[in-house]
């Protein structure tokens, strides 16, 4: 059914963005510096590292010449990078100064369901919540973002997202680059669509429900910025914080770079590549050697056209940018700063994942596309209706809360627990994609290892710790995991597609751990 409906889409939709693309990409870019997220170490109070976040409204200059109403944590857009020492107690207060309820979810963190910030943990306008946890997990670049049922997409799109850095000191011990903003640089890649006044447009076209993609690509909230870097090894922690767009990371001179970490920790060994596909929600830490580039500039870009249209299939409607090369950020290489860094041949010792544990199955699908057309008149379908509240600058809060996508034949219902997992027991998850589009799948409360893709071992850069896995069209992916954190019926964990419009429209389920 899906296939039929999509085949009838006018070819026009694919090319509609070309005019704007030409303008955006030929614009004189690299005029404004890359914003570096403030790294916070928190304050020690009674032996507990304490952080404060406040969700607020403000204004940002996403693209040159426009002021855009946005939301952010502790500022108008995105948020600070919270550095949390592994194994030590942490307390975070979250204050909601927005006019609608929100939650803050710690994506990739091994925390109990009670403090995971899922849809059950709403913070009302003007209210504050406090969570306490301890992260017993490897050093990693995690992140945090809202998770209200049916409104995750628009709240992230409005600007709410930040980094959560688990620090176990291993990167320093190994000699990896660790000087924040100098040779250790976080890059949050997101795309947005703006109206003629520069206001955010969200899901203003019917097919945006297949995944909201914009034609302006931002890094740390700014289109085509530059950053000054020393002529030495530079570590880039890249988060694909986009609602739906994939990126195929590469440098404009096609130089090789080393992948040192995946979503939730260092790889066993660095992997040299020239391109790296990153789906929504995924992170990669890469190291690029700029020792011979003093006085030159290098551009990190997305060679989307090489890979993305093929992965997307028809349903996610590769748009003009998906066929193109997207400039992300220009690295302006200055003199070396004398720091001695290295990328050792061995980074972490990772056990071989256990493939012989009991298997739990997940089947991914979409419902009849006819429902897409009838969408706005579907009362009572799968959970909360979208909030009538508006986003920044009157941005639409979208049309979440519908039952358009399914996992194991069911769409999200907050009143239903879909899976009950036994704590501290090895499991294998078998994820089969029967839909006509790829789905980056994510589970709360744990990290996992990829055992196989269609029966074959995954590429080397996917053999470390993950919490999002892209499941391609027609593919079956197997992962090995174990849940060590508890989650009750009142505060279950979520599993979902990280294309946020899929998540908001049913492609999510709930599980307990006890
Ligand atoms: Cu990044 Cu359930 O989320
Ligand atoms: Cu998550
Ligand atoms: Cu999906």
């Amino acid at each position: 059914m899906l296939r039929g409906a999509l085949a009838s889409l006018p070819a026009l939709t694919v090319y509609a963005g070309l005019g704007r693309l030409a303008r955006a990409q030929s614009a004189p870019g690299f005029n404004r510096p890359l914003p570096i997220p403030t790294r916070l170490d928190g304050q020690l109070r009674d032996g507990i590292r304490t952080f404060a976040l406040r969700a607020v409204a403000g204004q940002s200059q996403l693209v040159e010449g426009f002021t855009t109403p946005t939301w952010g944590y502790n500022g108008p857009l995105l948020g600070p990078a919270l550095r949390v020492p592994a194994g030590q107690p942490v307390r975070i207060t979250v204050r909601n100064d927005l006019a609608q309820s929100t939650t803050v979810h710690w994506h990739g963190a091994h925390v109990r369901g009670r403090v995971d910030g899922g849809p059950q943990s709403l913070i009302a306008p003007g209210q504050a919540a406090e969570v306490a946890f301890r992260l017993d997990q490897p050093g990693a670049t995690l992140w945090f973002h809202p998770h209200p049922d049916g409104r995750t997409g628009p709240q992230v799109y409005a600007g709410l997202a930040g980094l959560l850095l688990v620090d176990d000191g291993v990167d320093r011990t190994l000699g990896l680059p660790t000087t924040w903003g100098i040779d250790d640089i976080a890059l949050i890649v997101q795309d947005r669509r703006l109206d003629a006044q520069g206001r955010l447009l969200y899901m203003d076209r019917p097919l945006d429900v297949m995944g909201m993609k914009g034609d302006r690509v931002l890094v740390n909230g700014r289109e085509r910025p530059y950053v000054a870097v020393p002529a030495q090894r530079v570590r880039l922690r890249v988060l694909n914080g986009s609602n739906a767009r994939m990126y195929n990371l590469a440098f404009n001179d096609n130089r090789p770079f080393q992948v040192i970490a995946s979503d939730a920790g260092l790889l066993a060994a660095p992997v040299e590549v020239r391109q790296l596909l990153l789906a929504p929600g995924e992170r990669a830490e890469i190291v690029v050697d700029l020792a011979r580039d003093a006085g030159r500039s290098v551009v990190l870009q997305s060679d989307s056209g090489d890979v993305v249209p093929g992965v997307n299939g028809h349903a996610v409607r590769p748009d003009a940018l998906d066929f193109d090369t997207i400039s992300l950020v220009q690295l302006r290489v200055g003199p070396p700063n004398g720091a001695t860094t290295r990328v050792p041949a061995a980074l972490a010792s990772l056990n071989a994942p256990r493939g012989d544990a009991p298997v739990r199955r997940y089947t991914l699908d979409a419902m009849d596309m006819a429902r897409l057309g009838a969408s706005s008149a579907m009362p009572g379908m799968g959970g909360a209706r979208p909030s009538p509240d508006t986003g920044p600058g009157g941005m639409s809060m979208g049309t979440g809360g519908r039952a358009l996508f399914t996992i194991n034949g069911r769409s999200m219902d907050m009143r239903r627990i879909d899976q009950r997992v036994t704590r501290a027991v090895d499991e294998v998850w078998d994820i089969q994609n029967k839909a006509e589009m790829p789905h980056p799948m994510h589970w709360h409360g744990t990290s996992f290892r990829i055992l196989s893709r269609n029966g074959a071992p995954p590429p080397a850069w996917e053999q470390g710790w993950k919490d999002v896995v892209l499941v391609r069209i027609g593919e079956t992916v197997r992962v090995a995991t174990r849940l060590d954190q508890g989650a009750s019926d009142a505060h279950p964990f979520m599993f979902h597609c990280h294309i946020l419009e899929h998540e908001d429209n049913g492609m999510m389920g709930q599980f307990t751990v006890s």
Side-chain angles (χ1 to χ4, degrees):
M1 291 176 271
L2 184 55
R3 185 176 295 145
L6 288 161
S8 66
L9 291 179
L12 259 180
T13 55
V14 173
Y15 299 105
L18 274 176
R20 274 201 291 181
L21 166 74
R23 280 210 305 281
Q25 288 292 296
S26 63
F30 310 133
N31 291 328
R32 298 185 300 156
L34 174 79
I36 304 289
T38 307
R39 193 176 64 182
L40 299 181
D41 286 313
Q43 298 191 316
L44 263 188
R45 294 214 182 104
D46 307 324
I48 301 174
R49 206 160 278 279
T50 308
F51 298 86
L53 291 178
R54 206 158 67 93
V56 296
Q59 307 216 308
S60 305
Q61 325 282 323
L62 308 180
V63 306
E64 272 188 277
F66 290 99
T67 298
T68 303
T70 53
W71 291 348
Y73 297 107
N74 300 4
L77 189 70
L78 297 170
L82 310 183
R83 178 161 69 170
V84 170
Q88 289 179 32
V90 170
R91 187 187 307 133
I92 307 175
T93 55
V94 183
R95 202 186 148 71
N96 178 11
D97 282 332
L98 300 171
Q100 63 183 267
S101 59
T102 188
T103 82
V104 180
H105 164 59
W106 315 100
H107 178 127
H110 301 183
V111 299
R112 290 169 298 130
R114 180 73 187 78
V115 294
D116 184 53
Q120 284 79 5
S121 303
L122 285 175
I123 309 169
Q127 300 297 300
E130 187 177 285
V131 295
F133 51 71
R134 210 182 62 185
L135 298 182
D136 290 309
Q137 62 186 101
T141 305
L142 312 181
W143 61 304
F144 56 92
H145 61 76
H147 221 299
D149 192 41
R151 288 180 294 130
T152 296
Q155 290 200 351
V156 171
Y157 193 86
L160 293 172
L163 297 169
L164 179 67
L165 311 174
V166 187
D167 182 13
D168 62 358
V170 170
D171 53 356
R172 281 186 295 283
T173 308
L174 292 173
L176 293 168
T178 55
T179 310
W180 189 250
I182 305 293
D183 64 8
D184 180 357
I185 298 173
L187 303 174
I188 304 172
V189 185
Q190 299 174 308
D191 57 333
R192 297 292 183 265
R193 185 186 298 159
L194 304 179
D195 72 8
Q197 282 77 50
R199 290 174 303 200
L200 288 167
L201 287 171
Y202 182 68
M203 272 168 79
D204 54 313
R205 303 173 191 171
L207 280 171
D208 290 341
V209 74
M210 305 305 281
M212 177 67 208
K213 294 195 281 192
D215 59 352
R216 317 301 295 244
V217 179
L218 317 175
V219 180
N220 297 350
R222 194 163 280 184
E223 187 180 42
R224 303 180 90 202
Y226 70 85
V227 60
V229 291
Q232 56 200 52
R233 285 185 199 85
V234 171
R235 171 187 186 180
L236 303 173
R237 305 179 189 238
V238 189
L239 159 65
N240 182 349
S242 303
N243 284 38
R245 190 182 295 282
M246 284 182 251
Y247 302 93
N248 183 36
L249 302 177
F251 289 94
N252 62 330
D253 57 2
N254 199 36
R255 71 177 58 206
F257 55 92
Q258 288 173 297
V259 188
I260 59 166
S262 50
D263 301 332
L266 290 170
L267 300 177
V271 181
E272 188 173 288
V273 298
R274 288 173 197 269
Q275 296 193 334
L276 186 68
L277 185 69
L278 213 57
E282 284 189 306
R283 288 87 66 209
E285 295 186 26
I286 66 175
V287 174
V288 57
D289 188 355
L290 301 169
R292 285 173 298 280
D293 297 292
R296 288 206 287 261
S297 67
V298 182
V299 177
L300 178 69
Q301 60 192 28
S302 173
D303 284 351
S304 296
D306 289 357
V307 175
V308 175
V311 174
N312 266 344
H314 300 292
V316 182
R317 189 176 49 113
D319 64 357
L321 276 189
D322 283 340
F323 284 99
D324 211 323
T325 293
I326 309 167
S327 295
L328 300 177
V329 56
Q330 182 192 47
L331 310 181
R332 290 186 186 170
V333 189
N337 72 4
T340 319
T341 59
R342 47 196 291 267
V343 178
L347 298 170
S349 58
L350 302 180
N351 297 331
R354 281 197 54 186
D356 57 350
V359 176
R360 186 182 298 274
R361 288 177 199 282
Y362 297 90
T363 304
L364 317 179
D365 213 342
M367 297 183 88
D368 186 346
M369 290 299 289
R371 292 194 179 188
L372 194 59
S375 56
S376 45
M378 287 196 342
M381 292 300 299
R385 300 299 303 160
S387 161
D389 299 329
T390 56
M395 186 195 92
S396 160
M397 292 303 292
T399 48
R402 288 175 294 165
L404 300 175
F405 301 91
T406 61
I407 303 172
N408 293 341
R410 302 201 284 206
S411 289
M412 172 70 174
D413 184 341
M414 278 183 72
R415 297 158 302 187
R416 185 189 69 227
I417 299 294
D418 297 280
Q419 312 259 341
R420 295 192 180 276
V421 174
T422 306
R423 189 168 170 159
V425 171
D426 286 316
E427 293 202 359
V428 168
W429 294 341
D430 181 283
I431 313 144
Q432 189 186 358
N433 188 359
K434 290 188 170 169
E436 298 289 322
M437 65 197 97
H439 295 289
M441 293 298 297
H442 168 58
W443 281 257
H444 289 201
T446 191
S447 316
F448 52 77
R449 303 278 298 283
I450 303 177
L451 292 164
S452 62
R453 289 186 170 278
N454 281 341
W461 62 87
E462 282 195 327
Q463 292 188 11
W465 290 111
K466 295 281 296 166
D467 52 52
V468 178
V469 59
L470 180 67
V471 188
R472 292 171 172 79
I473 298 166
E475 193 175 35
T476 297
V477 176
R478 283 200 159 200
V479 307
T481 193
R482 197 181 76 170
L483 272 296
D484 289 327
Q485 301 289 327
S488 66
D489 286 53
H491 293 93
F493 286 135
M494 304 295 131
F495 57 91
H496 60 88
C497 176
H498 223 288
I499 292 177
L500 300 180
E501 289 68 39
H502 298 186
E503 170 188 339
D504 280 344
N505 286 292
M507 201 158 201
M508 181 153 71
Q510 311 193 100
F511 68 105
T512 59
V513 181
S514 56

